[in-house]
C-alpha cells in the first residue's frame, strides 16, 4: 500500500518571524557559563559512572512483561514527507533529498533545515486518540522522540532554544505524549539521537561542488544559526560520536534535563553508549540512581542502546532480531514504514509485525515498533488498519505474549531468523514454531495455518529420559480441547476447520514438568545444501547454523557474513548433501585484521586448517584458496567451521566457503 503524495506549495520570501525569537534566545544561552560546558554531575546512589558498577543493574519486571512498545519517530523532518535523515541529506548535492529540497523549498544556501521547522505545525495531532489506538493494539509502553540528529528538542528544553515549545507546533510534544500514556497506564519512554548530531550535521556547513552556486556556503555555515547546525568540527572529528568535550558536555546537560523533567521509564540512545567514555556512563548512572531514589533504592527504569549489554542495560537491535534466546532482555526497534513519513514507502502489514513480535518474544526480547505519523500528527488509513488488525490479534493471543518467559529453546522449523541489525524479513510458514512459557503453561505459536489442519511439534518428542507430560492442548480463540497424539515423533495436533485469527496461532499446552523435554534430540530441520549443476557447493552465511551466544550474521557492503565471532567457543555449521566421497578444493571469502587468524573446516571428522589473509578491514573481503579436504563418504554430512584453537583464536568475518570436486 502506498501513502499518497502530498500537495506542497510553500515559498520562502523572508525569514520566518520565529527566527528573531530564537536568535535572541541563542544569544542569551551562548555565555561562558552555559550548562553544556559543565562537567557531568550524577545523582548520588548505588551506581557510579563505570562499566563494572552498571553490571549491578537488575531488569525491571514491567519491561520483561511488557513485550510490545510503540514509538513516535516524529518531528520537523516529517515536513517534506520524504523520509529519514532529511535534515542532513538535503545538504548532500545529488542526493534525492537534496533534489527534493531544491524543487520544493529552494537552494540550501538560502533555504535550509531551519526554514522547515516553522512548517511543522502538528495541527491534527491528538495524542489522546492515538494513545487509545496504541493501547488497544497491544502496546504496554510508549516512546516519544525526544530529539533526533537534527538537534531540535521536542520538549520545553532548559538549555536549547531550538525546541518545539518555542518553535513549530509551540507544544511540549514530550510532555503531551507523557500525559496521554500515563493516563492510560502505559509506561513512558523517550528516545535521544542527539549524541551523533554534532558530526552528523556538519554537511550543512559545506557547499555545492558544481553548478551555478558552487562554493556558496549552505545556511549551516552562517554563525547566526550555529546553535542549530553546530560550530565547525575539527578536521579529524568525523566519527558517529564527536570527540569534542564541549559538545559532550552539552549533550549531557540537555539529556539530563530531559530525564529530570519527565522522569521516563525508558531512555533509548541511537548508537552505542554515548562517546564511549565517562560522559555517557554518567548519564546512565544518573538515570538509574534517580529512579532508585523514587523506588525504594532499586531502579525501575530501562536504558537501551545499540551495544552488547553484559547486564548493564537493554541491548537494542535496529530492524533486526537475535538468532536465539539471550540471557538478558533485549529489544528490537523497527518501523511499519520509513522512520520519518515518506510518501514513497509502502507500509508493513500487521502479519509482518505479529510474526516479528512472536519471534522476538520467544527469544527474551521486546518489540518497539514505530507508527509513522504525517507532519500534521495524523495517521494514514493504512497505519490505522495495521493497528486495528494488531488489536484483533492481541485480543486473542495476548496471554501467550505478555508476562511470558523463554522456554528451553525459542522454536523450531526451517526458517532461522538471523541475528543482527537490518535483518528482519523472513518467509515463515506453519512449520515454523515459536515457544513462550508462563507458570505451568507452554505456548507454541505456529507462524502460519497448515493446509492439512495438522501441526507436528518435533521438539516435544517423548524420547528416552523425557520427564515432561502433556495433558491438554487448546487453541487460543477456539473453545474446547483439541485432539492430539504424543509420542517420540513429537506432539501431533488436529486443528479445527477454521483458524481463530489471521497470522500466527497459539496452542496452549498444559501438563506436568513442561521443561522436562529434550528438544535437542529432535530431528534437525536445517536447510540441506546441494551442489549446483557444476558440482560446486556454496556454504554462505545466510544458510549457516550458528552455535554460540555472540556469533551472528550481519551485513557489510550489502552482503551477509558471519560476524561478531569474538569467542573461540562459537562456531558455524551447514548440512550438505555430498553426491560422492573424494577430494574437494576449498576456497574461503573472509575479512580479518589479524595476521594469524586461523579456522578449521570439519567435514564429518575430516579437517582442513585455513589461514585467511589479513585484509586490513572488517568490511574488506578477499577470496583465497585454502587447499583440499577429503570428504569421507556420500550423503548428508555436517560441515563445520570452528576456531583452530582456543588460546590463539583471532576474530574473523566469513562471507562464504566453497567446495568444488577436484577435476571440475
Amino acid at each position: 500500500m502506498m501513502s499518497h503524495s502530498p500537495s506542497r506549495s510553500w515559498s520562502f520570501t523572508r525569514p520566518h518571524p520565529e527566527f528573531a525569537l530564537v536568535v535572541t534566545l541563542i544569544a542569551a544561552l551562548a555565555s561562558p557559563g552555559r550548562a553544556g560546558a559543565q562537567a557531568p554531575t550524577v545523582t548520588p546512589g548505588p551506581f557510579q559512572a563505570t562499566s563494572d558498577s552498571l553490571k549491578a543493574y537488575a531488569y525491571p519486571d514491567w519491561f520483561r512483561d511488557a513485550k510490545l512498545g510503540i514509538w513516535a519517530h516524529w518531528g520537523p523532518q516529517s515536513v517534506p514527507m520524504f523520509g529519514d535523515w532529511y535534515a542532513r541529506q538535503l545538504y548532500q548535492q545529488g542526493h534525492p533529498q537534496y533534489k527534493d529540497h531544491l524543487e520544493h523549498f529552494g537552494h540550501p544556501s538560502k533555504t535550509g533545515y531551519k526554514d522547515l521547522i516553522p512548517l511543522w505545525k502538528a495541527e491534527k495531532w491528538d495524542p489522546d486518540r492515538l494513545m487509545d489506538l496504541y493501547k488497544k493494539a497491544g502496546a504496554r509502553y510508549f516512546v516519544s522522540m525526544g530529539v533526533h540528529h537534527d538537534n531540535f528538542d521536542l520538549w520545553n528544553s532548559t538549555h536549547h532554544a531550538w525546541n518545539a515549545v518555542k518553535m513549530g507546533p509551540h507544544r511540549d510534544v514530550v510532555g503531551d505524549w507523557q500525559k496521554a500514556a500515563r493516563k492510560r497506564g502505559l509506561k513512558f519512554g523517550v528516545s535521544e539521537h542527539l549524541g551523533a548530531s554534532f558530526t552528523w550535521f556538519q554537511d550543512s556547513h559545506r557547499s555545492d561542488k558544481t553548478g551555478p552556486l558552487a562554493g556558496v556556503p549552505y545556511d549551516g555555515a552562517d554563525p547566526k544559526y550555529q546553535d542549530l547546525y553546530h560550530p565547525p568540527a575539527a578536521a579529524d572529528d568525523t566519527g558517529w560520536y564527536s570527540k569534542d568535550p564541549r559538545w559532550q558536555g552539552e549533550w549531557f546537560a540537555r539529556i539530563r534535563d530531559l530525564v529530570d523533567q519527565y522522569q521516563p521509564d525508558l531512555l533509548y540512545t541511537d548508537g552505542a553508549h554515548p562517546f564511549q567514555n565517562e560522559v555517557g556512563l554518567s548519564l546512565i548512572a544518573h538515570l538509574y540512581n534517580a529512579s532508585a531514589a523514587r523506588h525504594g533504592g532499586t531502579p525501575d527504569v530501562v536504558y537501551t542502546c545499540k551495544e552488547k549489554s553484559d547486564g548493564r542495560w537493554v541491548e537494542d537491535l535496529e530492524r533486526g532480531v537475535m538468532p536465539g534466546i539471550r540471557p538478558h532482555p533485549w529489544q528490537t526497534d523497527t518501523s511499519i514504514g520509513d522512520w520519518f513519513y515518506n510518501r514513497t514507502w509502502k507500509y508493513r502489514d500487521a502479519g509482518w509485525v505479529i510474526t516479528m513480535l512472536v519471534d522476538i518474544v520467544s527469544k527474551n526480547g521486546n518489540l518497539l515498533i514505530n507508527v509513522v505519523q504525517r507532519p500534521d500528527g495524523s495517521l494514514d488509513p493504512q497505519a490505522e488498519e495495521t493497528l486495528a488488525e494488531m488489536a484483533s490479534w492481541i485480543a486473542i493471543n495476548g496471554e501467550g505474549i505478555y508476562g511470558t518467559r523463554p522456554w528451553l529453546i525459542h522454536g523450531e522449523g526451517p526458517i532461522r531468523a538471523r541475528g543482527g541489525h537490518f535483518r528482519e524479513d523472513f518467509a515463515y510458514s506453519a512449520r515454523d514454531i515459536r515457544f513462550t512459557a508462563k507458570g505451568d503453561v507452554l505456548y507454541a505459536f505456529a507462524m502460519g495455518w497448515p493446509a492439512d489442519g495438522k501441526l507436528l511439534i518435533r521438539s516435544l518428542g517423548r524420547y528416552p529420559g523425557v520427564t515432561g507430560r502433556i495433558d491438554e492442548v487448546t487453541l487460543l480463540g477456539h473453545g474446547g480441547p483439541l485432539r492430539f497424539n504424543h509420542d517420540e515423533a513429537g506432539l501431533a495436533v488436529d486443528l479445527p476447520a477454521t483458524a481463530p485469527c489471521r497470522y500466527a496461532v497459539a496452542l496452549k499446552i498444559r501438563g506436568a514438568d513442561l521443561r522436562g523435554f529434550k528438544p535437542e534430540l529432535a530431528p534437525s530441520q536445517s536447510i540441506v545444501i546441494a551442489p549446483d549443476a557444476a558440482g560446486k557447493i556454496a556454504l554462505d552465511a545466510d544458510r549457516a547454523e550458528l552455535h554460540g551466544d555472540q556469533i551472528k550474521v550481519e551485513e557489510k557492503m550489502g552482503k551477509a557474513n558471519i560476524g561478531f565471532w569474538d569467542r573461540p567457543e562459537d562456531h558455524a555449521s551447514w548440512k550438505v548433501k555430498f553426491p560422492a566421497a573424494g577430494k574437494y578444493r576449498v576456497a574461503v571469502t573472509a575479512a580479518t585484521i589479524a595476521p594469524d587468524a586461523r579456522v578449521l573446516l570439519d567435514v564429518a571428522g575430516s579437517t582442513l586448517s585455513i589461514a585467511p589473509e589479513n585484509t586490513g578491514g572488517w568490511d574488506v573481503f578477499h577470496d583465497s584458496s585454502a587447499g583440499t579436504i577429503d570428504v569421507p563418504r556420500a550423503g548428508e554430512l555436517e560441515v563445520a567451521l570452528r576456531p583452530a584453537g582456543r588460546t590463539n583464536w583471532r576474530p574473523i568475518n566469513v562471507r562464504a566457503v566453497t567446495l568444488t570436486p577436484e577435476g571440475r
Side-chain angles (χ1 to χ4, degrees):
M1 296 178 287
M2 295 289 290
S3 53
H4 63 276
S5 298
S7 173
R8 297 182 294 176
S9 57
W10 301 309
S11 62
F12 299 90
T13 56
R14 54 191 172 86
H16 196 280
E18 287 182 347
F19 292 152
L21 170 63
V22 170
V23 172
T24 300
L25 289 164
I26 289 169
L29 288 170
S31 63
R34 183 171 176 183
Q38 297 174 358
T41 55
V42 177
T43 292
F47 296 93
Q48 288 78 48
T50 67
S51 181
D52 285 344
S53 176
L54 297 180
K55 288 181 181 178
Y57 172 72
Y59 297 90
D61 286 341
W62 74 258
F63 183 78
R64 301 196 69 195
D65 292 342
K67 307 304 183 186
L68 178 62
I70 284 181
W71 193 6
H73 208 101
W74 183 52
Q77 288 182 93
S78 302
V79 168
M81 300 186 181
F82 203 34
D84 197 20
W85 282 33
Y86 194 97
R88 180 186 190 185
Q89 290 165 169
L90 75 88
Y91 296 105
Q92 297 175 350
Q93 188 180 18
H95 193 282
Q97 290 174 325
Y98 169 94
K99 296 175 181 177
D100 182 85
H101 190 81
L102 203 64
E103 177 183 354
H104 293 101
F105 303 105
H107 193 271
S109 62
K110 298 178 182 178
T111 304
Y113 187 61
K114 69 181 187 307
D115 301 283
L116 300 186
I117 291 171
L119 302 177
W120 184 46
K121 300 292 189 182
E123 60 270 26
K124 294 183 180 179
W125 178 43
D126 184 348
D128 286 304
R129 177 182 179 274
L130 294 179
M131 205 63 66
D132 284 335
L133 293 178
Y134 300 157
K135 182 175 181 179
K136 189 174 182 181
R140 292 292 177 90
Y141 59 105
F142 173 84
V143 177
S144 166
M145 175 75 69
V147 52
H148 201 254
H149 309 312
D150 65 347
N151 198 28
F152 187 76
D153 292 348
L154 303 190
W155 76 95
N156 192 17
S157 179
T158 303
H159 301 292
H160 192 53
W162 296 85
N163 68 69
V165 175
K166 296 179 175 67
M167 296 193 73
H170 294 277
R171 290 179 68 172
D172 183 350
V173 174
V174 172
D176 287 354
W177 278 128
Q178 179 202 54
K179 292 173 187 174
R182 289 190 168 155
K183 188 191 305 182
R184 289 156 180 81
L186 300 185
K187 295 291 185 178
F188 176 72
V190 290
S191 67
E192 71 85 10
H193 312 241
L194 184 62
S197 179
F198 189 86
T199 53
W200 187 88
F201 233 161
Q202 291 297 316
D203 284 349
S204 69
H205 292 246
R206 300 186 174 97
S207 62
D208 284 359
K209 295 180 179 178
T210 60
L213 293 177
V216 177
Y218 299 143
D219 68 333
D222 189 333
K224 287 189 300 185
Y225 303 118
Q226 282 193 358
D227 255 33
L228 176 63
Y229 298 114
H230 307 298
D236 65 344
D237 196 4
T238 59
W240 183 250
Y241 288 135
S242 170
K243 299 184 291 186
D244 192 322
R246 295 171 299 176
W247 171 245
Q248 295 178 13
E250 179 172 337
W251 171 88
F252 182 90
R254 284 166 61 184
I255 302 306
R256 173 168 173 160
D257 177 52
L258 175 63
V259 166
D260 290 350
Q261 281 200 55
Y262 301 92
Q263 299 180 1
D265 302 297
L266 178 148
L267 174 65
Y268 164 103
T269 285
D270 190 23
H273 82 269
F275 314 115
Q276 299 290 282
N277 63 19
E278 187 179 354
V279 176
L281 294 175
S282 293
L283 194 283
I284 303 168
H286 173 73
L287 176 75
Y288 289 174
N289 287 343
S291 177
R294 297 191 300 270
H295 296 95
T298 301
D300 194 41
V301 69
V302 167
Y303 176 71
T304 180
C305 67
K306 297 184 172 86
E307 183 177 348
K308 192 172 186 291
S309 73
D310 290 324
R312 297 168 293 175
W313 48 65
V314 169
E315 181 180 357
D316 181 90
L317 293 180
E318 181 174 350
R319 293 191 185 271
V321 300
M322 293 291 185
I325 296 170
R326 285 296 177 260
H328 303 298
W330 56 279
Q331 177 179 266
T332 286
D333 72 272
T334 189
S335 178
I336 63 170
D338 201 347
W339 286 117
F340 285 99
Y341 192 94
N342 191 329
R343 62 190 183 273
T344 69
W345 274 48
K346 293 181 179 180
Y347 282 111
R348 302 284 199 172
D349 64 19
W352 177 84
V353 177
I354 287 163
T355 53
M356 279 282 288
L357 174 66
V358 172
D359 179 71
I360 289 164
V361 171
S362 74
K363 299 170 180 175
N364 205 27
N366 284 22
L367 172 62
L368 177 62
I369 186 83
N370 177 53
V371 177
V372 187
Q373 289 173 254
R374 296 177 64 85
D376 62 15
S378 63
L379 303 182
D380 278 342
Q382 300 97 316
E384 297 214 17
E385 179 183 330
T386 293
L387 290 169
E389 291 193 22
M390 289 171 60
S392 297
W393 186 88
I394 210 77
I396 293 172
N397 299 286
E399 72 166 86
I401 297 293
Y402 302 122
T404 61
R405 298 292 183 266
W407 188 55
L408 299 171
I409 58 172
H410 75 274
E412 65 177 55
I415 299 298
R416 297 184 305 277
R418 301 303 184 185
H421 299 277
F422 305 103
R423 302 183 67 79
E424 59 179 1
D425 293 297
F426 308 102
Y428 293 118
S429 72
R431 293 175 60 201
D432 295 294
I433 307 295
R434 295 294 181 264
F435 300 108
T436 65
K438 185 191 297 180
D440 61 353
V441 174
L442 175 65
Y443 298 93
F445 285 87
M447 302 294 242
W449 187 257
D452 62 359
K454 299 180 183 298
L455 280 178
L456 175 62
I457 304 176
R458 300 174 185 271
S459 299
L460 295 173
R462 297 181 67 180
Y463 311 112
V466 164
T467 56
R469 188 185 76 236
I470 296 174
D471 296 332
E472 182 184 68
V473 179
T474 57
L475 180 68
L476 296 186
H478 173 78
L482 303 179
R483 292 174 52 194
F484 68 90
N485 183 59
H486 190 207
D487 56 24
E488 186 170 308
L491 175 66
V493 181
D494 293 330
L495 298 176
T498 57
C501 59
R502 297 180 68 184
Y503 318 119
V505 296
L507 297 179
K508 183 175 182 179
I509 301 167
R510 292 185 179 276
D513 193 18
L514 293 177
R515 290 185 178 272
F517 288 91
K518 296 182 178 293
E520 69 275 10
L521 299 180
S524 172
Q525 297 182 62
S526 301
I527 298 169
V528 178
I529 300 171
D532 64 15
K536 181 178 177 181
I537 298 169
L539 310 179
D540 56 45
D542 271 327
R543 293 185 290 180
E545 185 84 42
L546 303 181
H547 310 269
D549 291 335
Q550 195 158 311
I551 187 172
K552 62 182 71 171
V553 174
E554 59 177 345
E555 284 194 8
K556 289 187 179 296
M557 310 303 290
K559 293 184 179 180
N561 69 268
I562 300 167
F564 293 89
W565 196 353
D566 301 328
R567 294 162 25 110
E569 296 86 356
D570 297 353
H571 73 280
S573 67
W574 297 262
K575 289 284 179 148
V576 179
K577 186 174 184 178
F578 287 93
K583 288 187 177 294
Y584 285 74
R585 299 192 309 275
V586 178
V588 63
T589 306
T592 181
I593 62 173
D596 54 352
R598 188 172 289 273
V599 291
L600 196 70
L601 185 69
D602 183 334
V603 182
S606 179
T607 61
L608 173 68
S609 181
I610 301 173
E613 63 178 289
N614 182 347
T615 63
W618 292 116
D619 55 357
V620 180
F621 288 84
H622 289 177
D623 299 326
S624 58
S625 176
T628 62
I629 191 169
D630 287 308
V631 174
R633 60 184 180 276
E636 288 187 12
L637 305 179
E638 180 178 88
V639 177
L641 199 62
R642 312 177 191 277
R646 293 177 59 89
T647 58
N648 60 347
W649 168 243
R650 301 291 183 267
I652 185 173
N653 288 346
V654 177
R655 184 171 284 171
V657 177
T658 59
L659 294 89
T660 306
E662 280 204 330
R664 294 199 185 186

